[in-house]
Protein backbone atom coordinates (compact mmCIF):
# COMPACT_ATOMS: atom_id res chain seq x y z
CA UNK A 1 0.00 0.00 0.00
CA UNK A 2 1.38 3.40 -0.93
CA UNK A 3 1.83 5.75 1.99
CA UNK A 4 3.20 9.10 3.06
CA UNK A 5 6.19 8.88 5.37
CA UNK A 6 7.41 11.88 7.37
CA UNK A 7 11.04 11.86 8.48
CA UNK A 8 11.79 14.10 11.46
CA UNK A 9 15.31 15.52 11.57
CA UNK A 10 17.56 16.34 8.64
CA UNK A 11 20.82 15.03 10.06
CA UNK A 12 22.65 12.34 8.13
CA UNK A 13 20.40 9.63 9.64
CA UNK A 14 17.19 11.32 8.51
CA UNK A 15 18.66 12.08 5.08
CA UNK A 16 19.69 8.45 4.65
CA UNK A 17 16.22 7.22 5.62
CA UNK A 18 14.73 9.54 2.96
CA UNK A 19 17.29 8.36 0.41
CA UNK A 20 16.30 4.71 0.80
CA UNK A 21 12.57 5.46 1.00
CA UNK A 22 12.80 7.42 -2.25
CA UNK A 23 13.90 4.26 -4.08
CA UNK A 24 10.80 2.27 -3.08
CA UNK A 25 7.54 2.16 -5.07
CA UNK A 26 5.72 1.35 -1.81
CA UNK A 27 5.99 4.97 -0.67
CA UNK A 28 4.09 7.65 -2.56
CA UNK A 29 5.58 10.65 -0.77
CA UNK A 30 8.39 11.38 1.67
CA UNK A 31 8.41 14.59 3.71
CA UNK A 32 11.61 15.61 5.51
CA UNK A 33 11.12 18.09 8.36
CA UNK A 34 14.25 19.83 9.64
CA UNK A 35 13.99 22.45 12.38
CA UNK A 36 17.11 24.44 11.44
CA UNK A 37 18.06 26.20 8.23
CA UNK A 38 20.45 23.49 7.03
CA UNK A 39 20.64 19.71 6.75
CA UNK A 40 23.51 17.54 7.96
CA UNK A 41 23.20 17.89 11.73
CA UNK A 42 26.63 17.69 13.33
CA UNK A 43 28.35 17.11 9.97
CA UNK A 44 29.36 20.73 9.55
CA UNK A 45 32.40 22.02 7.64
CA UNK A 46 33.82 25.55 7.60
CA UNK A 47 35.14 26.28 4.10
CA UNK A 48 37.32 29.35 3.96
CA UNK A 49 37.66 31.45 0.83
CA UNK A 50 41.36 30.56 0.58
CA UNK A 51 40.56 26.83 0.34
CA UNK A 52 41.17 25.76 3.95
CA UNK A 53 38.58 23.39 5.47
CA UNK A 54 37.80 22.96 9.17
CA UNK A 55 35.38 20.48 10.76
CA UNK A 56 33.09 21.35 13.63
CA UNK A 57 31.83 17.79 13.94
CA UNK A 58 33.18 14.42 12.77
CA UNK A 59 36.26 14.82 10.57
CA UNK A 60 36.86 11.28 9.37
CA UNK A 61 35.02 8.01 8.88
CA UNK A 62 36.32 4.47 9.35
CA UNK A 63 35.51 1.98 6.59
CA UNK A 64 35.57 -1.29 8.55
CA UNK A 65 32.66 -3.58 9.36
CA UNK A 66 29.23 -3.84 7.77
CA UNK A 67 28.29 -0.27 8.71
CA UNK A 68 31.52 1.15 7.26
CA UNK A 69 31.03 -0.76 4.02
CA UNK A 70 27.41 0.43 3.87
CA UNK A 71 28.56 4.05 4.05
CA UNK A 72 31.15 3.58 1.32
CA UNK A 73 28.53 1.95 -0.90
CA UNK A 74 26.29 5.00 -0.46
CA UNK A 75 29.24 7.34 -1.16
CA UNK A 76 29.77 5.48 -4.44
CA UNK A 77 26.06 5.66 -5.34
CA UNK A 78 26.15 9.43 -4.77
CA UNK A 79 29.09 9.76 -7.16
CA UNK A 80 31.52 11.04 -4.55
CA UNK A 81 34.44 8.68 -5.22
CA UNK A 82 36.45 11.53 -6.74
CA UNK A 83 35.99 13.57 -3.55
CA UNK A 84 37.41 10.92 -1.20
CA UNK A 85 40.52 11.62 0.87
CA UNK A 86 41.69 8.25 2.22
CA UNK A 87 44.18 7.85 5.06
CA UNK A 88 46.28 4.70 4.79
CA UNK A 89 47.10 2.47 7.77
CA UNK A 90 50.74 3.10 6.84
CA UNK A 91 50.49 6.89 7.36
CA UNK A 92 51.76 8.61 10.50
CA UNK A 93 48.21 9.85 11.14
CA UNK A 94 47.08 6.24 11.51
CA UNK A 95 50.14 4.88 13.31
CA UNK A 96 50.88 7.73 15.74
CA UNK A 97 48.27 8.40 18.40
CA UNK A 98 49.23 9.93 21.70
CA UNK A 99 48.06 10.17 25.30
CA UNK A 100 48.88 13.24 27.39
CA UNK A 101 49.71 11.84 30.83
CA UNK A 102 51.87 13.26 33.61
CA UNK A 103 52.36 16.51 31.74
CA UNK A 104 53.85 14.96 28.58
CA UNK A 105 52.91 13.17 25.37
CA UNK A 106 53.22 9.39 25.13
CA UNK A 107 52.86 7.50 21.86
CA UNK A 108 50.42 4.62 22.13
CA UNK A 109 52.22 1.24 21.85
CA UNK A 110 52.04 -0.45 18.44
CA UNK A 111 53.36 -3.68 16.96
CA UNK A 112 54.88 -6.63 18.77
CA UNK A 113 57.44 -4.47 20.55
CA UNK A 114 54.68 -2.36 22.04
CA UNK A 115 53.04 -5.50 23.44
CA UNK A 116 56.05 -7.24 25.04
CA UNK A 117 57.92 -4.17 26.36
CA UNK A 118 56.91 -1.69 29.04
CA UNK A 119 56.15 1.59 27.28
CA UNK A 120 55.14 4.70 29.27
CA UNK A 121 52.67 5.80 30.44
CA UNK A 122 51.97 2.14 31.23
CA UNK A 123 53.89 0.49 34.07
CA UNK A 124 53.93 -3.02 32.60
CA UNK A 125 53.82 -4.72 29.18
CA UNK A 126 50.42 -4.98 27.52
CA UNK A 127 51.11 -8.72 27.13
CA UNK A 128 50.33 -9.13 30.84
CA UNK A 129 46.91 -7.59 30.27
CA UNK A 130 46.30 -10.08 27.47
CA UNK A 131 47.29 -12.96 29.76
CA UNK A 132 44.93 -11.65 32.44
CA UNK A 133 42.12 -11.62 29.90
CA UNK A 134 42.83 -15.24 28.90
CA UNK A 135 42.47 -16.53 32.48
CA UNK A 136 39.56 -14.30 33.58
CA UNK A 137 36.19 -16.10 33.59
CA UNK A 138 33.17 -14.73 31.75
CA UNK A 139 31.21 -12.04 33.51
CA UNK A 140 27.72 -12.92 34.71
CA UNK A 141 26.16 -9.43 34.65
CA UNK A 142 23.75 -8.43 31.88
CA UNK A 143 25.64 -5.16 31.59
CA UNK A 144 28.37 -3.21 33.36
CA UNK A 145 30.34 0.00 32.92
CA UNK A 146 33.10 0.11 30.34
CA UNK A 147 35.58 0.87 33.14
CA UNK A 148 34.46 -2.11 35.25
CA UNK A 149 34.58 -4.47 32.26
CA UNK A 150 38.10 -3.46 31.22
CA UNK A 151 39.37 -3.44 34.81
CA UNK A 152 38.03 -6.96 35.32
CA UNK A 153 39.43 -8.37 32.08
CA UNK A 154 42.57 -6.29 31.39
CA UNK A 155 43.48 -4.45 34.59
CA UNK A 156 42.87 -1.07 36.21
CA UNK A 157 45.73 0.77 34.48
CA UNK A 158 44.37 0.19 30.96
CA UNK A 159 40.92 1.20 32.17
CA UNK A 160 42.15 4.35 33.89
CA UNK A 161 44.31 5.55 31.00
CA UNK A 162 43.63 4.08 27.56
CA UNK A 163 39.93 3.29 27.92
CA UNK A 164 39.14 6.47 29.84
CA UNK A 165 40.70 8.39 26.92
CA UNK A 166 38.94 6.27 24.30
CA UNK A 167 35.52 6.99 25.78
CA UNK A 168 36.34 10.70 26.00
CA UNK A 169 37.41 10.69 22.35
CA UNK A 170 34.43 8.75 20.98
CA UNK A 171 31.55 9.67 23.30
CA UNK A 172 32.95 12.70 25.16
CA UNK A 173 31.76 10.47 27.98
CA UNK A 174 32.79 8.92 31.29
CA UNK A 175 33.75 5.25 31.05
CA UNK A 176 32.69 4.86 34.71
CA UNK A 177 29.01 5.26 33.76
CA UNK A 178 28.92 4.26 30.07
CA UNK A 179 27.66 0.77 29.20
CA UNK A 180 30.08 -1.74 27.68
CA UNK A 181 27.17 -3.68 26.17
CA UNK A 182 25.86 -0.65 24.27
CA UNK A 183 29.03 1.39 23.65
CA UNK A 184 31.33 -1.48 22.64
CA UNK A 185 29.07 -4.37 21.62
CA UNK A 186 31.92 -6.32 19.96
CA UNK A 187 33.83 -6.52 23.26
CA UNK A 188 30.73 -7.63 25.12
CA UNK A 189 29.97 -10.25 22.45
CA UNK A 190 33.54 -11.57 22.32
CA UNK A 191 33.46 -12.28 26.04
CA UNK A 192 30.02 -13.90 25.80
CA UNK A 193 30.85 -16.02 22.74
CA UNK A 194 34.52 -16.87 23.29
CA UNK A 195 35.12 -16.21 26.98
CA UNK A 196 38.01 -13.86 26.18
CA UNK A 197 38.53 -10.66 24.20
CA UNK A 198 41.88 -11.73 22.75
CA UNK A 199 40.82 -15.30 22.05
CA UNK A 200 37.72 -13.93 20.32
CA UNK A 201 39.85 -11.61 18.18
CA UNK A 202 42.10 -14.50 17.17
CA UNK A 203 39.22 -16.85 16.36
CA UNK A 204 36.93 -14.17 14.93
CA UNK A 205 33.42 -13.28 15.99
CA UNK A 206 30.60 -15.49 14.79
CA UNK A 207 28.68 -13.75 12.04
CA UNK A 208 26.32 -14.49 9.21
CA UNK A 209 27.01 -14.22 5.50
CA UNK A 210 27.72 -10.76 4.12
CA UNK A 211 26.89 -9.19 0.78
CA UNK A 212 29.70 -9.04 -1.79
CA UNK A 213 31.84 -5.90 -1.37
CA UNK A 214 31.50 -3.09 -3.92
CA UNK A 215 34.43 -1.86 -6.03
CA UNK A 216 34.98 1.07 -3.63
CA UNK A 217 34.96 -1.24 -0.60
CA UNK A 218 37.48 -3.54 -2.30
CA UNK A 219 39.66 -0.52 -3.04
CA UNK A 220 39.55 0.57 0.61
CA UNK A 221 40.61 -2.93 1.67
CA UNK A 222 43.39 -3.24 -0.91
CA UNK A 223 44.79 0.20 -0.05
CA UNK A 224 44.36 -0.50 3.70
CA UNK A 225 42.48 2.66 4.58
CA UNK A 226 42.34 3.63 8.23
CA UNK A 227 39.73 6.33 7.62
CA UNK A 228 38.57 8.79 4.98
CA UNK A 229 37.16 12.26 4.56
CA UNK A 230 35.95 14.35 1.62
CA UNK A 231 37.81 17.06 -0.28
CA UNK A 232 35.40 19.85 0.71
CA UNK A 233 34.79 18.46 4.17
CA UNK A 234 32.33 16.01 5.67
CA UNK A 235 29.43 18.39 5.04
CA UNK A 236 29.74 17.34 1.38
CA UNK A 237 27.98 14.07 2.23
CA UNK A 238 24.68 15.56 3.50
CA UNK A 239 24.78 18.13 0.71
CA UNK A 240 25.02 15.34 -1.87
CA UNK A 241 22.17 13.49 -0.19
CA UNK A 242 20.00 16.62 -0.21
CA UNK A 243 20.72 17.17 -3.92
CA UNK A 244 19.79 13.55 -4.68
CA UNK A 245 16.54 13.80 -2.67
CA UNK A 246 15.47 16.99 -4.41
CA UNK A 247 16.25 15.59 -7.86
CA UNK A 248 14.26 12.41 -7.12
CA UNK A 249 11.01 14.41 -7.18
CA UNK A 250 9.62 12.13 -4.44
CA UNK A 251 11.03 13.83 -1.33
CA UNK A 252 9.85 17.21 -0.08
CA UNK A 253 12.58 18.83 2.03
CA UNK A 254 11.35 21.44 4.52
CA UNK A 255 13.83 23.49 6.56
CA UNK A 256 12.88 25.82 9.42
CA UNK A 257 10.12 23.25 10.08
CA UNK A 258 10.49 22.42 13.77
CA UNK A 259 7.95 19.88 15.03
CA UNK A 260 5.96 21.17 18.00
CA UNK A 261 3.63 18.19 18.59
CA UNK A 262 2.78 14.75 17.22
CA UNK A 263 -0.90 13.83 17.40
CA UNK A 264 -2.36 10.47 16.41
CA UNK A 265 -4.99 10.69 13.70
CA UNK A 266 -6.68 7.45 12.71
CA UNK A 267 -3.92 5.01 11.89
CA UNK A 268 -1.41 7.80 11.18
CA UNK A 269 -0.16 11.14 12.50
CA UNK A 270 -0.84 14.82 12.32
CA UNK A 271 2.49 16.59 12.76
CA UNK A 272 2.06 20.07 14.19
CA UNK A 273 4.55 22.72 13.07
CA UNK A 274 4.87 26.33 14.14
CA UNK A 275 3.05 27.48 11.01
CA UNK A 276 0.84 24.58 9.99
CA UNK A 277 0.73 20.80 10.04
CA UNK A 278 1.62 17.74 7.96
CA UNK A 279 -0.28 14.44 7.81
CA UNK A 280 1.59 11.17 7.45
CA UNK A 281 0.83 7.47 7.58
CA UNK A 282 4.14 6.75 9.29
CA UNK A 283 6.88 8.74 11.07
CA UNK A 284 10.58 7.95 11.14
CA UNK A 285 12.10 10.02 13.93
CA UNK A 286 15.79 10.82 13.52
CA UNK A 287 15.51 13.43 16.29
CA UNK A 288 17.49 13.04 19.52
CA UNK A 289 15.52 10.88 21.96
CA UNK A 290 14.79 13.76 24.34
CA UNK A 291 13.59 15.97 21.47
CA UNK A 292 11.18 13.25 20.34
CA UNK A 293 9.95 12.81 23.92
CA UNK A 294 9.03 16.50 24.09
CA UNK A 295 6.66 16.31 21.09
CA UNK A 296 4.92 12.95 21.65
CA UNK A 297 1.23 13.05 22.62
CA UNK A 298 0.35 12.90 26.36
CA UNK A 299 -1.07 9.40 25.90
CA UNK A 300 2.47 8.19 25.09
CA UNK A 301 3.90 9.46 28.38
CA UNK A 302 5.49 6.09 29.32
CA UNK A 303 7.42 6.16 26.03
CA UNK A 304 8.43 9.78 26.59
CA UNK A 305 9.79 8.90 30.03
CA UNK A 306 11.99 6.14 28.61
CA UNK A 307 13.27 8.44 25.85
CA UNK A 308 14.10 11.24 28.31
CA UNK A 309 16.45 8.90 30.17
CA UNK A 310 18.83 8.87 27.18
CA UNK A 311 20.95 11.87 28.15
CA UNK A 312 23.21 14.03 25.98
CA UNK A 313 26.46 15.94 26.54
CA UNK A 314 27.68 19.27 25.22
CA UNK A 315 31.11 19.70 23.59
CA UNK A 316 33.02 22.90 22.85
CA UNK A 317 35.01 22.58 19.60
CA UNK A 318 37.77 25.09 18.86
CA UNK A 319 39.41 25.09 15.41
CA UNK A 320 42.84 26.74 15.36
CA UNK A 321 45.29 27.60 12.58
CA UNK A 322 48.95 28.43 13.20
CA UNK A 323 51.53 29.84 10.82
CA UNK A 324 54.08 27.26 9.69
CA UNK A 325 54.60 23.69 10.93
CA UNK A 326 54.40 23.89 14.73
CA UNK A 327 53.74 20.31 15.86
CA UNK A 328 56.52 18.67 17.90
CA UNK A 329 55.36 15.21 16.76
CA UNK A 330 53.42 13.93 13.73
CA UNK A 331 50.27 11.93 14.35
CA UNK A 332 46.50 11.91 14.48
CA UNK A 333 46.33 13.75 17.79
CA UNK A 334 46.29 13.17 21.53
CA UNK A 335 43.69 12.41 24.17
CA UNK A 336 43.80 13.40 27.82
CA UNK A 337 42.52 11.11 30.61
CA UNK A 338 40.02 12.59 33.05
CA UNK A 339 42.58 12.21 35.85
CA UNK A 340 44.88 14.66 34.02
CA UNK A 341 42.34 17.32 32.96
CA UNK A 342 38.59 17.08 33.43
CA UNK A 343 37.69 19.73 30.88
CA UNK A 344 40.00 19.24 27.89
CA UNK A 345 39.20 15.96 26.13
CA UNK A 346 41.76 15.95 23.33
CA UNK A 347 43.52 17.72 20.47
CA UNK A 348 43.31 16.55 16.84
CA UNK A 349 46.22 17.34 14.51
CA UNK A 350 44.03 17.98 11.47
CA UNK A 351 46.89 19.00 9.19
CA UNK A 352 48.57 15.60 9.55
CA UNK A 353 45.58 13.40 8.67
CA UNK A 354 44.16 15.64 5.95
CA UNK A 355 46.82 18.03 4.60
CA UNK A 356 44.54 18.53 1.58
CA UNK A 357 42.37 20.71 3.85
CA UNK A 358 45.22 23.13 4.53
CA UNK A 359 45.24 26.48 2.76
CA UNK A 360 47.32 26.36 -0.44
CA UNK A 361 50.70 28.07 -0.43
CA UNK A 362 52.67 28.80 2.74
CA UNK A 363 52.54 25.95 5.29
CA UNK A 364 50.16 26.18 8.23
CA UNK A 365 49.02 23.86 11.00
CA UNK A 366 45.35 23.16 11.70
CA UNK A 367 44.32 21.80 15.11
CA UNK A 368 41.01 21.10 16.82
CA UNK A 369 40.64 21.18 20.60
CA UNK A 370 37.63 19.41 22.15
CA UNK A 371 36.37 20.32 25.63
CA UNK A 372 33.56 19.54 28.05
CA UNK A 373 31.47 16.48 27.32
CA UNK A 374 30.39 14.66 30.48
CA UNK A 375 32.54 17.10 32.48
CA UNK A 376 31.21 20.30 30.88
CA UNK A 377 29.30 21.65 33.89
CA UNK A 378 31.89 20.49 36.41
CA UNK A 379 34.73 22.16 34.51
CA UNK A 380 33.03 25.21 33.00
CA UNK A 381 29.60 25.75 34.58
CA UNK A 382 26.30 26.21 32.77
CA UNK A 383 26.55 26.24 29.00
CA UNK A 384 24.71 29.56 28.69
CA UNK A 385 27.18 31.30 30.98
CA UNK A 386 30.40 30.45 29.11
CA UNK A 387 31.61 32.59 26.21
CA UNK A 388 33.35 31.58 23.00
CA UNK A 389 36.23 33.85 23.99
CA UNK A 390 36.71 31.83 27.18
CA UNK A 391 36.93 28.56 25.24
CA UNK A 392 39.37 30.08 22.77
CA UNK A 393 41.63 30.99 25.72
CA UNK A 394 41.31 27.47 27.17
CA UNK A 395 42.14 25.88 23.83
CA UNK A 396 45.23 28.00 23.11
CA UNK A 397 46.51 27.38 26.65
CA UNK A 398 46.09 23.63 26.16
CA UNK A 399 48.00 23.75 22.86
CA UNK A 400 50.78 25.78 24.49
CA UNK A 401 50.99 23.45 27.51
CA UNK A 402 50.65 20.10 25.70
CA UNK A 403 52.50 20.84 22.43
CA UNK A 404 54.83 23.70 23.37
CA UNK A 405 53.29 26.03 20.77
CA UNK A 406 53.97 29.51 22.10
CA UNK A 407 52.73 31.41 19.01
CA UNK A 408 49.22 32.77 18.84
CA UNK A 409 46.87 31.26 16.24
CA UNK A 410 46.42 33.26 13.04
CA UNK A 411 42.80 32.08 12.74
CA UNK A 412 40.27 30.49 15.06
CA UNK A 413 36.64 29.41 15.27
CA UNK A 414 34.67 28.32 18.33
CA UNK A 415 31.51 26.20 18.29
CA UNK A 416 29.59 25.09 21.36
CA UNK A 417 27.73 21.96 20.27
CA UNK A 418 24.87 21.71 22.75
CA UNK A 419 23.54 18.22 23.46
CA UNK A 420 25.51 16.70 20.58
CA UNK A 421 26.45 13.18 21.74
CA UNK A 422 24.06 10.69 23.41
CA UNK A 423 25.33 8.79 26.43
CA UNK A 424 24.59 5.06 26.63
CA UNK A 425 24.62 4.51 30.36
CA UNK A 426 24.48 1.04 31.93
CA UNK A 427 21.10 -0.53 31.13
CA UNK A 428 20.73 1.30 27.81
CA UNK A 429 20.01 -2.00 26.01
CA UNK A 430 17.08 -2.70 28.35
CA UNK A 431 15.72 0.80 27.84
CA UNK A 432 15.77 0.23 24.08
CA UNK A 433 13.91 -3.06 24.58
CA UNK A 434 11.23 -1.24 26.59
CA UNK A 435 10.95 1.50 23.95
CA UNK A 436 10.57 -1.00 21.10
CA UNK A 437 8.07 -3.06 23.10
CA UNK A 438 5.94 0.03 23.81
CA UNK A 439 5.92 1.07 20.13
CA UNK A 440 5.02 -2.46 19.01
CA UNK A 441 2.44 -3.13 21.72
CA UNK A 442 0.59 0.11 20.97
CA UNK A 443 0.92 -0.30 17.17
CA UNK A 444 2.41 3.17 16.85
CA UNK A 445 3.31 3.99 13.23
CA UNK A 446 6.73 5.16 14.46
CA UNK A 447 10.29 4.03 13.69
CA UNK A 448 13.40 5.35 15.44
CA UNK A 449 16.74 6.22 13.84
CA UNK A 450 19.76 8.30 14.76
CA UNK A 451 22.55 8.42 17.31
CA UNK A 452 20.37 8.10 20.41
CA UNK A 453 19.86 4.37 20.05
CA UNK A 454 22.37 2.03 18.41
CA UNK A 455 25.67 3.86 17.87
CA UNK A 456 27.00 7.42 17.69
CA UNK A 457 29.46 7.15 14.78
CA UNK A 458 28.69 8.51 11.31
CA UNK A 459 28.55 4.91 10.04
CA UNK A 460 26.14 3.85 12.81
CA UNK A 461 23.79 6.75 12.19
CA UNK A 462 23.75 6.22 8.42
CA UNK A 463 23.08 2.52 8.92
CA UNK A 464 20.23 3.30 11.35
CA UNK A 465 18.59 5.51 8.71
CA UNK A 466 18.81 2.73 6.14
CA UNK A 467 17.41 0.09 8.54
CA UNK A 468 14.55 2.41 9.54
CA UNK A 469 13.56 2.80 5.88
CA UNK A 470 13.90 -0.91 5.18
CA UNK A 471 11.73 -1.79 8.16
CA UNK A 472 8.88 -0.15 6.20
CA UNK A 473 9.60 -1.08 2.60
CA UNK A 474 11.99 -4.03 2.75
CA UNK A 475 15.52 -4.11 1.37
CA UNK A 476 16.10 -1.65 -1.46
Amino acid sequence: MQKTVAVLGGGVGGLTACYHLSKSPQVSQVVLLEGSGRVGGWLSSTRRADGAVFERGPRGVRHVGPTGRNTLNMVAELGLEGELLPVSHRSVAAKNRFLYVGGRLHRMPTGLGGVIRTIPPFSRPLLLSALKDLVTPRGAAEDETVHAFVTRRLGAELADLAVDCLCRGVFAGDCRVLSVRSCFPPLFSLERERGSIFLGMLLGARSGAEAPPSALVRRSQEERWAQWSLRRGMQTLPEALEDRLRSSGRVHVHKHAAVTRLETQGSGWEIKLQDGSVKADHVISALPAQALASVLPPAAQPLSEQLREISMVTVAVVNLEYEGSVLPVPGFGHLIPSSEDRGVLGVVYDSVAFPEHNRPGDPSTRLTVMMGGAWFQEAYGNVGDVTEKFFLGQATRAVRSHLGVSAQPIWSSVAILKDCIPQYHVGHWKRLENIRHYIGHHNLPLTLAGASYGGVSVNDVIFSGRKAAESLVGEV
Side-chain angles (χ1 to χ4, degrees), residues 139-476:
E142 289 186 310
D143 197 4
E144 62 187 311
T145 69
V146 178
H147 188 274
F149 176 89
V150 174
T151 300
R152 179 170 59 79
R153 296 218 63 88
L154 302 173
E157 189 172 64
L158 270 182
D160 290 345
L161 295 178
V163 171
D164 179 279
C165 284
L166 177 63
C167 288
R168 281 159 68 88
V170 175
F171 295 92
D174 186 351
C175 65
R176 292 158 185 80
V177 295
L178 292 176
S179 154
V180 70
R181 180 168 181 163
S182 297
C183 293
F184 299 101
L187 295 184
F188 182 82
S189 298
L190 286 174
E191 184 187 44
R192 284 291 171 99
E193 294 174 4
R194 304 294 193 184
S196 156
I197 299 171
F198 283 97
L199 187 61
M201 287 178 174
L202 289 171
L203 297 175
R206 298 178 181 127
S207 61
E210 290 195 17
S214 67
L216 185 57
V217 168
R218 286 197 300 273
R219 178 190 156 198
S220 72
Q221 294 168 340
E222 290 163 3
E223 296 177 2
R224 300 193 65 233
W225 295 2
Q227 60 174 326
W228 56 268
S229 182
L230 295 163
R231 199 163 296 280
R232 300 188 67 244
M234 288 304 302
Q235 189 174 318
T236 306
L237 181 56
E239 288 171 346
L241 279 165
E242 181 183 12
D243 289 345
R244 182 63 62 90
L245 298 182
R246 291 188 184 279
S247 66
S248 74
R250 304 187 62 217
V251 181
H252 303 276
V253 179
H254 298 278
K255 300 173 186 175
H256 300 292
V259 176
T260 59
R261 177 66 62 188
L262 290 174
E263 294 180 359
T264 54
Q265 187 178 70
S267 60
W269 297 98
E270 183 170 7
I271 305 160
K272 299 287 188 180
L273 309 174
Q274 290 174 339
D275 57 353
S277 64
V278 173
K279 293 180 180 178
D281 301 300
H282 197 97
V283 161
I284 293 177
S285 174
L287 299 171
Q290 293 187 355
L292 174 60
S294 69
V295 300
L296 285 172
Q301 183 182 353
L303 176 58
S304 296
E305 289 173 355
Q306 292 284 333
L307 292 166
R308 284 195 184 94
E309 289 183 15
I310 302 173
S311 63
M312 310 279 282
V313 296
T314 295
V315 178
V317 175
V318 181
N319 300 128
L320 300 170
E321 183 183 30
Y322 291 86
E323 196 75 60
S325 301
V326 299
L327 287 169
V329 291
F332 182 78
H334 68 265
L335 293 168
I336 303 109
S338 56
S339 56
E340 187 84 22
D341 188 324
R342 310 291 271 183
V344 182
L345 306 173
V347 182
V348 184
Y349 312 161
D350 296 306
S351 289
V352 179
F354 300 111
E356 300 90 345
H357 287 164
N358 288 352
R359 69 181 188 193
D362 295 334
S364 64
T365 302
R366 293 174 303 107
L367 305 173
T368 300
V369 184
M370 299 166 293
M371 293 173 281
W375 298 266
F376 193 102
Q377 186 150 17
E378 174 190 337
Y380 306 121
N382 294 324
V383 63
D385 298 334
V386 199
T387 65
E388 292 183 1
K389 182 179 179 182
F390 170 82
F391 280 119
L392 177 58
Q394 292 290 108
T396 53
R397 275 191 290 275
V399 170
R400 184 165 58 247
S401 172
H402 299 180
L403 298 172
V405 179
S406 57
Q408 286 297 306
I410 57 173
W411 184 90
S412 64
S413 174
V414 180
I416 300 172
L417 310 183
K418 192 171 185 306
D419 296 337
C420 62
I421 306 180
Q423 303 293 286
Y424 304 160
H425 292 163
V426 170
H428 180 76
W429 70 277
K430 190 65 178 176
R431 191 168 297 117
L432 294 189
E433 269 193 5
N434 294 337
I435 288 169
R436 293 189 186 107
H437 179 265
Y438 184 95
I439 292 171
H441 182 71
H442 291 83
N443 294 314
L444 288 180
L446 174 66
T447 305
L448 305 181
S452 290
Y453 310 106
V456 302
S457 74
V458 173
N459 288 329
D460 291 329
V461 174
I462 287 173
F463 195 67
S464 78
R466 173 182 172 174
K467 299 309 287 184
E470 291 182 345
S471 70
L472 295 184
V473 300
E475 193 168 333
V476 289

